[in-house]
Amino acid sequence: MASVTLENVSRMYGAVTAVDNVNLKIKSGEFVTLLGPSGCGKTTTLRMVAGLEKNTGGRIAIGDNVVSDSEKGYFVPSERRRLGMVFQSYAIWPHMTVFDNVAYPLRIRRRPDKEINDRVMNALRLVEMEQYAERPSPALSGGQQQRVAIARALVFEPEVLLLDEPLSNLDARLRTQMGDDFRALQQRLKITALYVTHDQAEAMALSDRVVVMHGGKILQVGAPEEIYRRPENRQVAAFFGTPNLLNATVKDCRPNGGQYYKLSVEGQGWSGDCHAATEMPKGADVTVMVRPENLHVRDAGQVNGDLSWAGEVSQAIFRGSHRSIMVKTPAQTLHVEASSLSHVDIGRPVTVAAPVEAAWAVRN
Amino acid sequence: MTIIHNRPLDDIAETAPTIAGNAFTRAFSGGSLWRLIGMLVLILILGFLTIYPLAMLLYGSLHSTPPGMAGEFNLNGYRSIMTTQNLIVLANTIGISLAKTIPSLTIAVFLAWIVARTDTPFRGTLEVLITLPFFIPPILTAMAWGMLANPQVGVINMVWRWATGATDPLVNIYSYGGVIWHMCQYSIPFLFLFMVDAFRAMDPSLEESSRMCGASRWTTFRKITLLLMLPVLTSSFMLSFIKGIETFESALFFGLPAGIKVITTDIYESINHRATPDYQYATSLSFAIMGLMFLLVIWQWWMLRGKSFQTVTGKGFRPSVMELGPWRWVTFAFCVLFFFITVVLPIGQLMLGSFFRFFGFYTYDMLTLEHYRAVFANSEFWRAVRNTMVLGLLGATATMALGAIVAYISVRTRWRGRNLVDSMAWLPWMMPGMVLGVGFLWAFAMLPGPIPIYGTIWALLLAYIALGTPVSVRVMTGAYHQLSYDLEECSRVHGASWFQTMWRIMVALAWPAFAVGWVLTFFGIMRELSASILLYSVGSETLAVVLMKLWANGNAEQVSVIGLMMMLLVIVFRWVQLSFIKSRISKL
Ligand SMILES: Nc1ncnc2c1ncn2[C@@H]1O[C@H](COP(=O)(O)OP(=O)(O)OP(=O)(O)O)[C@@H](O)[C@H]1O
Ligand SMILES: [Mg+2]
């Protein structure tokens, strides 16, 4: 397994910049996910690594070898990059059996029949599809096709595995299960994987690191928890779920001993402490992010040191796993995710509270 | 705030990446040199097949003598076609084509509706029967109808006289009506095939909601079905009209004897039926008709711009059909009648003609097998069978291969020059067989001495390939459009080169369409008369040409024998096609 390096990689379509100056290093054995809204350039980035698209700027290396360098006009075609890829449509060739599909990368490389047989069966076993080897491939369900596509991508031990929204055609339950299975497989085989998705939950659950993209640019790269809890800007913060974003002004800023800073902030009708990545001058305008699942609804007036807002319940929606409660405060309406067992009456005055660790400030 | 995407690169490249491969592999990475060579070869081939004969046509029309003879450049050719007589020829051509297109389209729409949208019994079988005439060479039906509706000795008129005691014939095939009648027999199944899928793909709820609003079946058909079909009807109309202008056989058999001339027969006559062939006249006229075709194609394009063509989705989507009640037997009878008139009658006539000593004298003591013996003993016949088969097999294969390559390049690559290749392959669309024949006549004559194509079977082969290419490109384009790009790219990523991908994925997946196109082209070659008749020479006759020669000598009996054989061949081929290919793919 090899690393993948993208240096200042860009891709223009006429005047449209689909990918804009992307820098990324994927370590060997690492699982990196490209995440972003539709049209942000994820697929284009992946296809440039695959060699299906030429980068118009920058260079790409797989392992220690440059595979594409736009300045030097150097380009290694797809088939010589030793990659495995799972397409969104799976691209299972309908005129071949499951076995033939998986054997294809080996047959192309003219391996002996014995070896082909062993490795194909191994790969199929890995995805638990060995009993389907002789099936004609159109006679497979979506989930089975997806497994075959993974087996085919893994069969000749590629340098890097590329996956473009491989789970998006599956139903919700299967998606989670296949995702977990695939993550386990990736961990076991130590595969370098570059994975594209627009599903945040999937990205969190699978990846070592997540790359958040927007408009062809990388907004932030980091471990899932890092990105979720400590986004670098409002855009990244807003991308995951429906966080509460409150405007505030910095009153005080001091290092908290670790790598972060502790801020005292004041908003409309509330004040309190929160964390931030960088030092902020006094009086700076910031956005404080508090996630709905970290907020608690308490009886009015009950305050114990944390951030708190006074308001009244304006809406409560039962969602099965939890209850969405809207609380109208002087600052803005806050979205709280409460236990589905909790019961609140609409119109009741309450206090909404959050621990300091749950509040994160980014500069406007 | 740190800006991550401009972070310095030192943590990115731990070891400096190296560029693998030597200068040579670098220069040719992506196979651009081979691609360039390949494109050049393709452009040369297409150029030879389409541009070159066209250029020679232009040369011929401006030059006073045939190639190889001293002469001068002048406009006499164009001057000589500007006559009032030719105005009548032009009016005939357009008038006849219009007169056949309108009834053909009406009947074809009706048939397509019956087969695709109603509960008429045995629709599947009816569909096969209705489309059969499309595969029968028009020359066969022309000869059969020449015998059936001959004013003196035609069976129809003899029965009529016997039944009514009248002395005047009921029908005379040698007339405007006869020409149009014969053209319709080919046009109707052609249009049917062109439209039936669009009828099938239509959402039935659109019709049903009209019925719910209180409209009768007939009103629904007129106001909803027809209007929804308007784009496909328009394109069918234009296509049929253009084909009508190109048609040669009908006007040759039934028009010329009655003094009705159209442009194609006029070109033919000026070369074959004059004491000294007037080549400059023929080439000028050819160029003029091409101009006309060009205008029509532009018009077609203009009428259809913005309108979406039929999109056949039809994935497991089985539209409900309209229940006709007792009327379904009427529609059934209509289809059977169509089949009877266009297939059974001509075949019956050919059988009749082949077993009696003289055509027109059908009495018991005239029964004989001598015509079969004569045909089977005729070495020219066997040579023609061999030629037709060789040309059909080679021609269909080469045409489809060319079409497959051109379609691939224009649909699935972004190579430079793909539009050029595509339009070159489309050029013969505007050239009637007769015109292309004249062009190739010149083109072969102008070739330098050591390339003796003229007078050989290769001359015919090249003309057939040129004539068939637009259709083959179209068939393959459709096929490629249905294959997702992923299938191809997936193969590349997993290590297959471009050629391996072509062979193992594209060819493997596109071959059913290839096979359909192959059979179509094969039938096209068997049918071809107008270019063959100009380009054949002794030794390279095709079956159609042999038939023509026998017919011209008044040997209707042997014509019947050969015609019957060809019919048999057509039916066998069609049967093979339906049973082996149709099971795998949608029909054409
Ligand atoms: N062949 C092309 N020509 C022109 N523009 C293109 C082409 N391919 C992609 N683009 C543009 O590049 C941008 C990025 O496209 P890309 O397919 O990478 O998006 P994506 O992030 O994969 O989105 P999705 O989640 O919808 O798949 C889009 O704005 C798209 O319109
Ligand atoms: Mg995408």
Side-chain angles (χ1 to χ4, degrees):
Chain A
M1 287 293 158
S3 61
V4 179
T5 313
L6 287 85
E7 287 174 31
N8 303 318
V9 171
S10 303
R11 169 73 214 203
M12 311 272 295
Y13 290 111
V16 182
T17 311
V19 173
D20 192 0
N21 212 23
V22 160
N23 284 301
L24 184 65
K25 163 94 188 183
I26 304 166
K27 294 195 254 336
S28 178
E30 193 182 22
F31 193 129
V32 169
T33 300
L34 300 180
L35 178 67
S38 185
C40 70
K42 308 179 294 282
T43 299
T44 309
T45 309
L46 192 79
R47 288 169 59 84
M48 287 191 294
V49 176
L52 295 170
E53 207 84 59
K54 263 187 189 172
N55 46 323
T56 50
R59 56 182 196 159
I60 301 172
I62 295 175
D64 292 338
N65 298 322
V66 170
V67 289
S68 175
D69 187 333
S70 74
E71 275 93 76
K72 296 210 178 71
Y74 176 75
F75 183 78
V76 177
S78 277
E79 68 265 25
R80 289 206 267 121
R81 295 190 180 190
R82 297 183 45 83
L83 301 168
M85 185 159 174
V86 179
F87 288 75
Q88 184 172 0
S89 64
Y90 307 143
I92 300 292
W93 299 300
H95 59 303
M96 301 180 186
T97 62
V98 167
F99 185 94
D100 291 337
N101 261 286
V102 178
Y104 188 84
L106 299 169
R107 294 218 168 109
I108 285 296
R109 293 179 173 83
R110 298 182 201 291
R111 311 317 293 234
D113 282 348
K114 172 88 177 60
E115 183 191 334
I116 292 181
N117 200 42
D118 292 349
R119 290 175 71 170
V120 169
M121 288 324 279
N122 258 334
L124 285 174
R125 205 164 302 130
L126 230 46
V127 295
E128 291 164 19
M129 285 289 292
E130 68 267 39
Q131 69 272 37
Y132 295 98
E134 294 314 316
R135 276 267 184 109
S137 48
L140 291 177
S141 74
Q144 291 168 335
Q145 287 195 23
Q146 199 253 5
R147 291 167 201 236
V148 174
I150 291 179
R152 179 177 61 188
L154 288 177
V155 74
F156 72 107
E157 286 155 20
E159 303 269 1
V160 179
L161 188 57
L162 306 172
L163 305 101
D164 189 359
E165 310 208 14
L167 303 179
S168 64
N169 286 338
L170 306 178
D171 68 55
R173 183 193 301 255
L174 197 56
R175 185 154 49 199
T176 322
Q177 189 209 324
M178 291 297 302
D180 295 347
D181 288 358
F182 179 65
R183 173 65 171 164
L185 189 68
Q186 184 266 341
Q187 295 273 337
R188 189 143 53 90
L189 303 180
K190 300 270 180 293
I191 306 164
T192 311
L194 181 56
Y195 189 102
V196 164
T197 183
H198 60 249
D199 182 326
Q200 326 147 8
E202 201 175 294
M204 302 271 178
L206 299 180
S207 333
D208 294 316
R209 281 195 299 157
V210 176
V211 178
V212 182
M213 292 184 72
H214 186 87
K217 290 196 169 80
I218 292 183
L219 292 181
Q220 187 173 354
V221 185
E225 195 171 343
E226 166 97 9
I227 292 210
Y228 187 74
R229 293 188 45 197
R230 292 183 280 276
E232 279 180 16
N233 54 42
R234 219 183 145 118
Q235 255 173 321
V236 177
F239 187 71
F240 292 93
T242 48
N244 298 296
L245 299 171
L246 297 125
N247 292 321
T249 320
V250 178
K251 292 275 145 217
D252 184 32
C253 176
R254 58 199 176 273
N256 75 337
Q259 57 191 126
Y260 306 117
Y261 293 85
K262 191 158 189 175
L263 307 184
S264 294
V265 293
E266 184 175 334
Q268 202 181 344
W270 64 280
S271 63
D273 289 350
C274 63
H275 287 120
T278 53
E279 186 161 9
M280 310 253 187
K282 273 193 193 121
D285 287 328
V286 293
T287 299
V288 177
M289 177 197 79
V290 190
R291 297 214 173 260
E293 67 269 24
N294 296 329
L295 286 172
H296 303 285
V297 178
R298 303 213 174 109
D299 292 335
Q302 223 188 325
V303 183
N304 40 8
D306 296 342
L307 285 166
S308 65
W309 296 265
E312 69 179 42
V313 176
S314 64
Q315 207 180 2
I317 303 162
F318 178 72
R319 294 194 195 275
S321 62
H322 63 269
R323 199 182 290 272
S324 286
I325 300 172
M326 299 295 172
V327 179
K328 215 167 148 201
T329 72
Q332 67 188 68
T333 302
L334 294 177
H335 176 204
V336 183
E337 265 179 28
S339 150
S340 53
L341 296 176
S342 66
H343 184 81
V344 283
D345 297 320
I346 306 231
R348 203 176 112 193
V350 290
T351 297
V352 177
V356 176
E357 303 79 59
W360 181 257
V362 296
R363 199 136 197 203
N364 278 0
Chain B
M1 187 185 80
T2 40
I3 302 165
I4 293 291
H5 58 85
N6 272 348
R7 186 185 283 166
L9 282 182
D10 46 18
D11 74 322
I12 286 185
E14 289 144 2
T15 52
T18 53
I19 291 186
N22 56 23
F24 181 81
T25 55
R26 237 174 287 164
F28 298 116
S29 64
S32 53
L33 182 71
W34 290 114
R35 176 196 299 178
L36 193 71
I37 294 174
M39 280 299 268
L40 279 180
V41 170
L42 189 62
I43 288 173
L44 277 180
I45 292 175
L46 285 171
F48 183 75
L49 287 175
T50 61
I51 307 270
Y52 179 51
L54 195 64
M56 286 305 109
L57 211 54
L58 183 64
Y59 169 88
S61 69
L62 295 172
H63 201 254
S64 61
T65 56
M69 275 184 245
E72 48 159 21
F73 286 99
N74 59 34
L75 289 174
N76 286 351
Y78 289 100
R79 242 171 252 135
S80 66
I81 62 170
M82 302 286 188
T83 58
T84 19
Q85 208 209 342
N86 276 356
L87 265 185
I88 299 174
V89 171
L90 183 69
N92 271 340
T93 311
I94 293 177
I96 288 176
S97 188
L98 267 183
K100 75 103 188 185
T101 301
I102 292 164
S104 303
L105 194 62
T106 314
I107 295 174
V109 164
F110 189 49
L111 288 172
W113 176 74
I114 291 175
V115 166
R117 315 287 308 160
T118 70
D119 66 342
T120 304
F122 308 112
R123 276 166 296 153
T125 318
L126 286 179
E127 187 175 355
V128 174
L129 297 182
I130 287 170
T131 51
L132 194 59
F134 172 73
F135 298 93
I136 299 175
I139 184 175
L140 296 185
T141 47
M143 288 167 173
W145 277 97
M147 299 187 243
L148 272 168
N150 182 302
Q152 282 82 42
V153 291
V155 177
I156 293 176
N157 288 319
M158 295 206 304
V159 171
W160 167 256
R161 286 201 199 94
W162 170 81
T164 63
T167 49
D168 288 335
L170 175 67
V171 287
N172 179 6
I173 194 76
Y174 299 106
S175 61
Y176 278 105
V179 175
I180 291 165
W181 169 251
H182 181 249
M183 283 169 121
C184 286
Q185 290 183 42
Y186 175 78
S187 276
I188 294 169
F190 170 77
L191 288 170
F192 174 89
L193 278 170
F194 192 78
M195 291 186 299
V196 70
D197 279 332
F199 273 82
R200 239 179 234 134
M202 209 186 72
D203 183 356
S205 64
L206 297 172
E207 279 173 327
E208 282 160 4
S209 59
S210 159
R211 299 287 306 282
M212 297 311 288
C213 296
S216 69
R217 277 185 194 127
W218 174 237
T219 312
T220 302
F221 179 73
R222 270 186 315 132
K223 298 219 151 168
I224 306 293
T225 318
L226 269 189
L227 287 184
L228 283 172
M229 292 289 130
L230 206 55
V232 75
L233 289 181
T234 317
S235 58
S236 307
F237 179 87
M238 292 305 300
L239 200 60
S240 178
F241 183 53
I242 290 174
K243 285 272 161 209
I245 287 182
E246 295 184 357
T247 310
F248 175 58
E249 287 88 344
S250 312
L252 177 71
F253 279 87
F254 308 127
L256 275 190
I260 303 164
K261 283 193 195 172
V262 298
I263 295 183
T264 47
T265 52
D266 204 28
I267 296 173
Y268 174 66
E269 266 204 317
S270 64
I271 293 178
N272 268 25
H273 285 189
R274 292 197 193 170
T276 51
D278 191 345
Y279 285 117
Q280 199 176 6
Y281 176 84
T283 45
S284 304
L285 200 56
S286 298
F287 229 82
I289 186 178
M290 270 204 51
L292 179 65
M293 301 290 289
F294 182 70
L295 289 180
L296 285 175
V297 170
I298 297 276
W299 188 36
Q300 177 185 23
W301 170 80
W302 183 80
M303 298 234 313
L304 294 176
R305 94 210 111 98
K307 293 208 183 87
S308 65
F309 261 76
Q310 61 193 61
T311 46
V312 188
T313 45
K315 264 219 178 108
F317 159 73
R318 182 95 201 134
S320 68
V321 291
M322 191 182 279
E323 283 173 20
L324 295 180
W327 283 97
R328 70 187 197 277
W329 292 105
V330 176
T331 51
F332 174 77
F334 184 79
C335 295
V336 171
L337 182 70
F338 178 78
F339 175 70
F340 181 79
I341 292 176
T342 55
V343 179
V344 178
L345 270 187
I347 291 188
Q349 171 62 56
L350 290 179
M351 285 173 94
L352 202 62
S354 69
F355 286 115
F356 288 91
R357 189 153 297 152
F358 299 112
F359 151 62
F361 297 89
Y362 307 124
T363 53
Y364 186 71
D365 54 331
M366 286 290 198
L367 269 176
T368 175
L369 282 177
E370 73 177 75
H371 306 308
Y372 284 87
R373 254 175 257 130
V375 166
F376 290 141
N378 182 347
S379 67
E380 195 178 282
F381 165 72
W382 287 113
R383 194 167 61 199
V385 170
R386 204 182 55 229
N387 283 343
T388 306
M389 280 300 153
V390 167
L391 283 169
L393 298 175
L394 275 185
T397 311
T399 308
M400 286 312 295
L402 190 63
I405 294 171
V406 170
Y408 182 85
I409 290 174
S410 75
V411 174
R412 293 186 85 91
T413 72
R414 278 182 253 156
W415 298 354
R416 200 178 302 163
R418 65 183 193 283
N419 289 333
L420 176 69
V421 166
D422 194 39
S423 23
M424 278 165 90
W426 268 98
L427 213 52
W429 193 244
M430 295 188 298
M431 300 199 231
M434 180 56 61
V435 170
L436 201 78
V438 177
F440 269 120
L441 211 55
W442 248 231
F444 295 143
M446 294 289 278
L447 281 178
I451 313 176
I453 290 181
Y454 181 66
T456 67
I457 196 166
W458 306 116
L460 290 168
L461 184 70
L462 288 171
Y464 292 165
I465 295 175
L467 281 172
T469 302
V471 173
S472 71
V473 171
R474 188 176 171 150
V475 169
M476 294 313 288
T477 303
Y480 293 144
H481 273 309
Q482 293 184 340
L483 298 179
S484 108
Y485 284 88
D486 288 355
L487 297 175
E488 216 177 318
E489 289 177 341
C490 188
S491 162
R492 293 297 297 277
V493 173
H494 289 122
S497 69
W498 188 83
F499 282 105
Q500 284 170 315
T501 302
M502 276 301 100
W503 180 246
R504 287 167 171 250
I505 306 295
M506 291 308 279
V507 171
L509 283 172
W511 82 260
F514 189 93
V516 169
W518 192 93
V519 174
L520 271 186
T521 318
F522 186 86
F523 281 127
I525 290 174
M526 262 204 344
R527 188 160 51 219
E528 218 298 321
L529 179 67
S530 51
S532 320
I533 202 122
L534 288 178
L535 291 171
Y536 87 91
S537 62
V538 181
S540 65
E541 301 94 340
T542 62
L543 274 174
V545 169
V546 168
L547 276 178
M548 259 316 280
K549 281 163 77 175
L550 286 172
W551 181 261
N553 291 339
N555 197 337
E557 299 80 15
Q558 289 192 17
V559 161
S560 302
V561 174
I562 299 178
L564 215 52
M565 309 272 155
M566 282 179 81
M567 284 280 194
L568 209 66
L569 201 66
V570 167
I571 292 170
V572 167
F573 253 80
R574 180 75 180 139
W575 179 76
V576 169
Q577 180 200 13
L578 285 177
S579 48
F580 284 87
I581 300 174
K582 196 179 174 181
S583 59
R584 298 200 49 139
I585 34 152
S586 63
K587 59 156 208 17
L588 199 130

